[in-house]
Amino acid sequence: MKFLAIFSILSLQIDCQMLYKLQCPVNNYAWGAKGESSMAAILALAGNHISHIDPNKTYAEFWVGTHQNGPARVIELGKSLEEAIRENRELVGEKESEKLTFLFKVLSVAGPLSIQIHPTKAQGKILHSKDPKNYPDDNHKPEIAIALTEFELLSGFRQHSQISDFLKLYSEIQELLSDEDRVQIDNLGSFGESSSKALKIIFSRIWRSEKSKLGVVVEKLANRLAGQEIKSQLDELIVYLASLYPGDVGVFAPIFLNHFKLQPGEATFLEPNMPHAYLKGDCVECMSCSDNTIRAGLTPKYIDVESLVEMLNYSETLLPKYIPNELADHTKLFTPKGIDEFWVQEVKGSTGAKFDLPFAESASVLTVLSGSANVTSAETRKPETIKKGEVLFISASRCGKNQPKIEISEDFWAFRAFQPSSSAISNFQN
């Protein structure tokens, strides 16, 4: 992975709490938005993370974290953030390690990402031990995506009865099934586990199809739909994907997966083994510190069909939208159930507003999307001013339970990511 910048830190030492401005890495995946159409690029430029925006280059992801594929570095010390934390444990909470347990990103998506799932912790360990090249760490990768603009995606299996209808409507796909497999189409939508078992049989057969036969069927379906005078939204999506990835099994993904749009501020939580693919738009994303991805199509990268079909959750998902919690000061807190690696707080307000940054016993990172503000706490000697595109690292507080505070000097929008302590989880859930 090539980054335009590596991670710079300008520090201000205070009595018990440290504030650092961070310069974050940006990558250039092909699916990213090009030039100034990329929010990730605009933020990177505004925060002096990059020196200019190349109109012919894609800017896909703006990273904040200590993952090995994009490690933060402390320029002043000539060492990584991980090393700095290891040498100064006061930066993080008592139960935190030298690595951040989360990875925070701003994504600008112009073309489809691969159809993919992420493993559980147990599965991540097995995959990494068997194939460390394609699975670079042994962790799981639950993630939450929060839309910044209208954000289009595929996520989770549709209602099984609807998949049954679509397999009949797009009947070309049945050419990839055996006679016994076709019988299972009518079992989709039945009660109990039989429906999920039927879906696994059908899905596995299609995804295991020979490439030559698969290519013929994809082309046949895409050509028929392209020739129709009136097309549904699903027809249009299948034709679009086939134009980008001719002959790719991922072209069939919209037949099986929920296709929907998140409006700005709406979110989705992607559990382990939930199939998904981002299609278009800008979002912030927070996940456990992992890069383990099992791909199922729409990509030139490694596709692991056998792991995919065995690990997928074949249950109906409906629309997997996540509803955040609203705190007393009207900031939003995203606390995915069962996840202790990260929480995300959205801070948004007008000039003069003041907000708390709770759960200060853990270190956190604050990424500013617009506006400016001063960050301070009872432990600071003076506030730290932050503005659009800047990222602030706030170390854990060890001198009490005082919460850092934000005072907005210009209409402000930012996201804070942190690892909740066990007491924070307990107090919040109770």
Side-chain angles (χ1 to χ4, degrees), residues 3-296:
F3 292 103
L4 299 179
I6 304 276
F7 195 94
S8 135
I9 286 185
L10 183 61
S11 64
L12 171 68
Q13 185 163 357
I14 52 184
D15 292 338
C16 299
Q17 200 165 37
M18 303 286 287
L19 304 179
Y20 299 94
K21 283 187 178 178
L22 315 177
Q23 185 182 18
C24 301
V26 181
N27 70 43
N28 310 102
Y29 291 139
W31 50 259
K34 188 173 288 188
E36 293 186 356
S37 66
S38 169
M39 182 181 290
I42 292 172
L43 288 174
L45 182 65
N48 295 316
H49 306 279
I50 57 176
S51 61
H52 68 286
I53 297 176
D54 185 336
N56 298 312
K57 185 175 287 187
T58 59
Y59 296 84
E61 294 182 338
F62 178 92
W63 280 37
V64 182
T66 56
H67 191 274
Q68 61 189 19
N69 286 351
R73 288 196 62 81
V74 183
I75 300 301
E76 285 183 330
L77 304 178
K79 61 184 66 174
S80 69
L81 177 61
E82 182 180 338
E83 289 177 294
I85 294 173
R86 188 183 305 128
E87 294 172 5
N88 183 7
R89 293 289 302 168
E90 298 298 310
L91 291 176
V92 295
E94 292 181 0
K95 294 186 178 181
E96 293 180 272
S97 69
E98 63 268 12
K99 293 183 179 181
L100 299 181
T101 56
F102 59 86
L103 178 58
F104 183 87
K105 301 179 182 179
V106 177
L107 274 66
S108 291
V109 181
L113 278 69
S114 59
I115 307 296
Q116 58 189 259
I117 64 172
H118 304 300
T120 64
K121 283 187 177 182
Q123 291 166 341
K125 292 182 184 298
I126 294 171
L127 291 171
H128 178 66
S129 64
K130 289 182 176 180
D131 187 0
K133 177 182 178 182
N134 291 301
Y135 302 104
D137 56 71
D138 64 359
N139 202 7
H140 67 162
K141 193 185 176 186
E143 56 192 24
I144 193 165
I146 307 166
L148 302 177
T149 60
E150 185 176 79
F151 195 71
E152 185 178 358
L153 69 158
L154 300 169
S155 181
F157 281 111
R158 295 178 181 271
Q159 288 186 327
H160 292 175
S161 58
Q162 187 178 49
I163 295 174
S164 177
D165 292 340
F166 284 156
L167 289 172
K168 296 170 184 176
L169 179 63
Y170 302 105
S171 57
E172 290 87 347
I173 200 171
Q174 293 189 39
E175 296 177 24
L176 299 171
L177 303 175
S178 68
D179 290 340
E180 292 181 356
D181 296 335
R182 293 189 190 99
V183 172
Q184 298 294 334
I185 293 175
D186 288 327
N187 290 331
L188 293 172
S190 58
F191 292 104
E193 296 182 3
S194 58
S195 184
S196 293
K197 289 179 179 177
L199 180 56
K200 182 176 181 179
I201 290 170
I202 293 168
F203 188 91
S204 300
R205 178 73 71 177
I206 293 169
W207 255 254
R208 285 173 170 147
S209 299
E210 294 180 2
K211 285 187 178 181
S212 57
K213 189 174 183 180
L214 189 61
V216 171
V217 175
V218 171
E219 183 178 11
K220 185 177 180 180
L221 174 59
N223 287 343
R224 175 172 71 83
L225 297 179
Q228 292 180 175
E229 228 176 276
I230 300 176
K231 300 181 184 67
S232 68
Q233 188 179 57
L234 184 53
D235 294 341
E236 295 279 8
L237 180 56
I238 291 170
V239 172
Y240 167 66
L241 295 178
S243 71
L244 297 177
Y245 293 95
D248 192 299
V249 69
V251 172
F252 297 138
I255 294 171
F256 292 90
L257 306 184
N258 293 300
H259 174 220
F260 60 104
K261 295 178 181 179
L262 296 174
Q263 297 306 310
E266 293 184 330
T268 185
F269 176 60
L270 303 170
E271 300 175 358
N273 298 323
M274 179 183 288
H276 62 278
Y278 300 154
L279 299 176
K280 187 177 181 181
D282 303 284
C283 75
V284 297
E285 187 180 52
C286 195
M287 64 201 70
S288 61
C289 189
S290 173
D291 204 26
N292 280 332
T293 301
I294 304 166
R295 297 179 180 86

Side-chain angles (χ1 to χ4, degrees), residues 410-428:
E410 180 185 354
D411 289 0
F412 188 74
W413 189 18
F415 287 88
R416 170 183 174 237
F418 60 98
Q419 179 187 4
S421 66
S422 56
S423 61
I425 294 174
S426 176
N427 290 338
F428 188 81

